[in-house]
Structures are given as C-alpha cells and as structure tokens.
C-alpha cells in the first residue's frame, strides 16, 4: 500500500494542472494508464479560446459558445470557463508554453502572441503554438510534473475501482483512494489518499470509429458511477469535425484552423 495526500487519476491537461497546483503543499500521486504524455489533450491542434483582445468581450464569447452549442450549454459552467480563460492562459504562459508570437502588427495579439480565429468564433481569440498546441502544452507541463519532488507519476497503471466506505464495509460515502493495476509488475496496488480526483476524460472509444484517442475508454466515469456519483449528459461525445480517415491506417486530426482561417 502507498499513501498520498491527493490521488489524481488521469494525466491529461486537467490532471497535470491539478497536480502542479496541489503539489506546492501536498504529496500527489498522478496515475496514468499509459505514458505521462499519452492523454487526449496532446492531440489538440488549433489552439485555446480565451477573451484576450480588448475589442472582444466576455459576453461575445459566451454568445458564440451558446450559438455553437445549439443553446444546450450550461449557463453557469459556460460563464465560469469564459470568465476564467485569460487567467488560465496567463498561467500556461508562466509555465513556459511556447505560444506562437505575432508577426503582423495589423492583427490583434495578446502581449505579442498571435491570435487566430476558429470556427464558431466571431473574434480572433485563439492563442496557439503553431498548429500543435496540445502537444506544446502537454510537453511543457509534463516536464514540470516529472521534475516536481512532490509528484509521484505512476505510468502504465490502470485504475480499477475507487476505495469507498461501502467497499470497506463502513457507514458513510467517503473515498479513500483506488485500486490500480500495475501493467509492468502484473499485480494490483492499493493507493490510499483522503482526496481523490477523477481526471480520466471521456468515453469516445465506445464507438468503433472515433476521433478520440484509444485511452478514452470511460474508466473514470464508470468508477464514479459505481461509487454513487451522478452521471449526466453522456450523449454528448466529441467527434472532431475534420479528420483524415483511412481504413487500413491510423486516422489523424486536421486542425480546426482550416475552417476558422478559411
């Protein structure tokens, strides 16, 4: 058995960000079913949307989001994400993400970083690292995660189930960690922590043909549901609009920017 202050399951951008924030004061375990960089976040290409130009506004971004989302977006969640987007971008810049610099003084930029446009956006609000933004972000954060003395990275460990009071035969609904399968050692480990975070991504691989990566198998959703969490909106699964498909080779994504920039 290993014990930590926080157990984070999933090594995408969400899991890494959580780990880096908490590791300043907590001992963190970051569990990933493959390698640290193998989550879905690294596949993102075009960039990250945020209100960064003074000619843009929070209300414009929210309006665009509702239009693109067929008015099905949760109002509170949408506003929270949009209002906090600039702070998130500033944090990534502080982390050292190499976003592309602006070369055209006639176009809007953000502190010298180039802003592009993507489909569904009425303003230039996409900050990007060439056309491999996700890879640049993940490479930057993964380097910091791997070097942090308070973060233990457990690669090739598949989370099996959460350890709850119910499983331990106790009264209550607390989660005490998780059972994980070490693929290299071939046995199950017990990871204990008073705080457990599910950052495991989606369930896109339920479809035979999908633009989601192979790791998007819904493990965390299933574990949360078995532990008594509410699960909703499962019908909303992203399929990237542009992809090169070949029946005998691995499909790959084509950037959102092909529509935003025409």
């Amino acid at each position: 058995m290993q014990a930590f202050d926080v157990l984070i399951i999933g090594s995408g951008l969400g899991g890494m960000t959580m780990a880096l924030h908490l590791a300043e004061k907590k001992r963190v375990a970051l569990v990933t079913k493959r390698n640290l960089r193998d989550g879905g976040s690294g596949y993102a290409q075009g960039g990250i949307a945020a209100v960064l130009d003074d000619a843009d506004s929070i209300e414009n971004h929210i309006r665009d989001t509702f239009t693109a989302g067929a008015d099905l977006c949760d109002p509170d969640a949408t506003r929270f994400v949009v209002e906090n987007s600039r702070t998130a971008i500033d944090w990534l810049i502080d982390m050292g993400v190499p976003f592309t610099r602006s070369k055209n003084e006639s176009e809007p930029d953000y502190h010298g970083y180039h802003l592009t446009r993507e489909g569904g956006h009425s303003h230039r609000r996409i900050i990007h690292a060439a056309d491999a933004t996700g890879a640049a972000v993940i490479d930057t954060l993964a380097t910091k995660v791997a070097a942090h003395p308070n973060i233990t990275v457990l690669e090739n460990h598949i989370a099996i189930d959460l350890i709850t009071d119910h499983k331990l035969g106790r009264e209550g609904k607390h989660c005490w960690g998780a059972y994980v399968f070490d693929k290299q050692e071939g046995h199950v480990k017990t990871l204990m922590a008073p705080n457990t975070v599910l950052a495991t991504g989606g369930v896109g691989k339920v479809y035979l043909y999908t633009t989601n990566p192979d790791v998007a198998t819904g493990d965390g959703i299933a574990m949360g549901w078995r532990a008594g969490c509410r699960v909703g909106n499962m019908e909303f699964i992203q399929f990237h609009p542009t992809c090169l498909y070949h029946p005998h080779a691995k499909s790959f994504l084509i950037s959102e920017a092909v529509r935003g920039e025409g």
Side-chain angles (χ1 to χ4, degrees), residues 43 98 108 122 153 163 180 239:
Y43 288 85
S122 60
V153 178
I163 303 172
V180 301
F239 287 81

Side-chain angles (χ1 to χ4, degrees), residues 50-58 60 86 108-111 115 123-125:
V51 178
L52 303 174
D53 177 26
D54 291 338
D56 197 3
S57 72
I58 297 294
N60 283 335
R86 181 182 295 214
D109 62 25
Y110 181 63
H111 298 318
L115 299 178
H123 289 74
R124 285 186 174 271
R125 61 170 71 107

